[in-house]
Amino acid sequence: LVGCGYSPLTAMVLSSRGLKNQQEAHAYLDCSAPLPDPFLMTDMDLAAGRVGLAMARGEKIAVFGDYDVDGITSTCLLTDFLRRHGADCISYIPGRLEEGYGLNAIAIHQLHQEGVKLIITVDCGITAVAEAELCAEYGIDLVITDHHECKAELPDAIAVIDPKREDCTYRNRNLAGVGVAFKVICALAGKERLSEMLAKYSELVALGTIADVVSVRGENRALIRTGINYLSKTSRPGLIHLFKETGLDSKRLTTGSIGFAIAPRLNAAGRMGCPDLSVRLLTTPDLKEAEK
C-alpha cells in the first residue's frame, strides 16, 4: 500500500485492518457511493405510513430519545424535521435518575395525559415489550427506531426499525441511532430531497455517530465526512458557541476533536440529569440563548 500513494503510517493502519491492495483501500475510504434506499430497512414503509398519517390528521407526536449524544442528536433531528413539516410534535428524554434508560411507564402516562397519539422512539425501544403493551392500553401507537441488539421477542409496535433485526437485510448493520433516525426522515422526505436532508442534518448525524463509536466504514464513513464538512461552516448558534468555548477551530475539526471535546460536553447534561440543556443548545436559533 505504500507504493499506492498512501503515506507509510496510513498504509500501516490500512494493512492492520486487513486491506491488501489499492482497490480494497479505495473501497474502504471511498465516500462517494450513493446512500442506500431507506425503504430497504424492514418496517420502514410501515413507519413512514403511520408518521405521515399522524401528520395529515394533526395528531400529537412525541419523539422519545435517550440522554446520550446519540439519543440527543436523534431527538433533535427527528423533532426538527417533523416540526418544519407542520407536525404537532414534542420531544421527550427521560430523566436518568428518575426514569432510567429507555421507554418507561412514567413517560407513557405523562405523554398520554398530554394527548400524544403516536410515540416514535429514537436510539432506544428495541427491548420495550411491556412498554409497547402499555402504549396499546392507552391507545397510543408506537413506532420504534433503534440500533441496539435485539432480543428474541420484539415489541408489538406499528413498526420496529432496527438494522440488527435478524430479518433486516439492510447492508449497514452498524448505523448509530441517529443514523437510523436520519434514514426515517429520508424516507419521509423522498429520495429527490436527499441532498437537502444532508445539508440540514448531517451535522447532527456526524456528532451522534462519532460519539457512539460505531464502525467508521461504508455509509457511516460517508455520513461522518459529509457532516464534518457541514460542521466546519455551521450556522447553528449552539455549535458556534460550543466550538468557541472549547477552543476548537471549526475549520479543522476531526473525529478526535469531536469525540474528545464536543461529545463529552453534550453528554454531561444527561449525566447531570438535565439532557434538555443539550437539546436546547443544538436547536436554538438564538445566538444569545446559545451563548448562555
Side-chain angles (χ1 to χ4, degrees):
L1 288 173
V2 175
C4 298
Y6 298 109
S7 69
L9 179 58
T10 301
M12 184 168 60
V13 171
L14 292 172
S15 295
S16 73
R17 296 183 182 181
L19 306 173
K20 300 179 180 62
N21 53 53
Q22 186 176 15
Q23 290 72 28
E24 290 183 0
H26 177 74
Y28 180 87
L29 296 172
D30 182 37
C31 294
S32 63
L35 297 181
D37 184 344
F39 286 101
L40 294 174
M41 281 191 178
T42 301
D43 280 5
M44 184 63 80
D45 55 339
L46 299 175
R50 181 61 186 92
V51 175
L53 183 63
M55 295 170 70
R57 288 176 173 173
E59 294 175 335
K60 193 167 188 176
I61 303 170
V63 176
F64 188 101
D66 184 22
Y67 41 71
D68 67 359
V69 179
D70 192 15
I72 289 167
T73 52
S74 301
T75 303
C76 293
L77 181 154
L78 186 54
T79 302
D80 182 78
F81 174 87
L82 292 174
R83 286 176 178 169
R84 284 178 182 271
H85 289 79
D88 180 6
C89 181
I90 61 172
S91 63
Y92 189 105
I93 296 179
R96 184 169 180 259
L97 299 178
E98 301 85 359
E99 300 172 68
Y101 169 79
L103 194 59
N104 61 83
I106 295 173
I108 294 169
H109 177 73
Q110 179 177 326
L111 293 173
H112 172 65
Q113 293 292 103
E114 294 181 21
V116 167
K117 297 298 182 184
L118 173 64
I119 295 175
I120 310 170
T121 72
V122 287
D123 191 34
C124 62
I126 197 63
T127 60
V129 174
E131 290 77 12
E133 293 176 356
L134 183 58
C135 284
E137 291 178 18
Y138 278 123
I140 299 173
D141 282 344
L142 178 64
V143 168
I144 292 171
T145 78
D146 202 349
H147 72 121
H148 294 100
E149 295 292 339
C150 306
K151 294 187 177 180
E153 182 182 4
L154 294 177
D156 185 10
I158 295 293
V160 179
I161 301 173
D162 189 324
K164 290 189 173 69
R165 280 182 61 164
E166 287 187 5
D167 60 346
C168 185
T169 57
Y170 192 77
R171 68 180 185 229
N172 183 9
R173 298 178 64 83
N174 295 307
L175 280 170
V178 71
V180 178
F182 180 71
K183 303 307 287 192
V184 172
I185 69 166
C186 288
L188 291 167
K191 62 182 179 181
E192 67 279 356
R193 295 180 62 198
L194 175 59
S195 295
E196 179 189 342
M197 294 301 101
L198 285 169
K200 206 173 289 285
Y201 298 112
S202 63
E203 297 170 319
L204 297 176
V205 178
L207 288 175
T209 300
I210 292 168
D212 225 49
V213 202
V214 296
S215 174
V216 186
R217 303 189 71 155
E219 184 177 13
N220 288 349
R221 178 177 288 275
L223 289 170
I224 288 172
R225 182 170 181 175
T226 302
I228 288 179
N229 286 340
Y230 279 104
L231 283 166
S232 70
K233 52 189 177 185
T234 185
S235 60
R236 289 180 184 269
L239 291 175
I240 290 171
H241 280 292
L242 190 56
F243 293 151
K244 180 181 177 181
E245 288 296 322
T246 55
L248 289 177
D249 181 356
S250 64
K251 307 296 183 188
R252 304 181 66 182
L253 290 175
T254 65
T255 55
S257 59
I258 292 170
F260 289 98
I262 299 300
R265 287 170 165 83
L266 294 173
N267 260 331
R271 299 293 183 267
M272 297 173 69
C274 44
D276 283 346
L277 278 177
S278 289
V279 174
R280 286 169 53 201
L281 180 71
L282 292 176
T283 56
T284 180
D286 185 84
L287 276 166
K288 288 190 178 297
E289 183 185 7
E291 183 177 21
K292 181 179 178 182

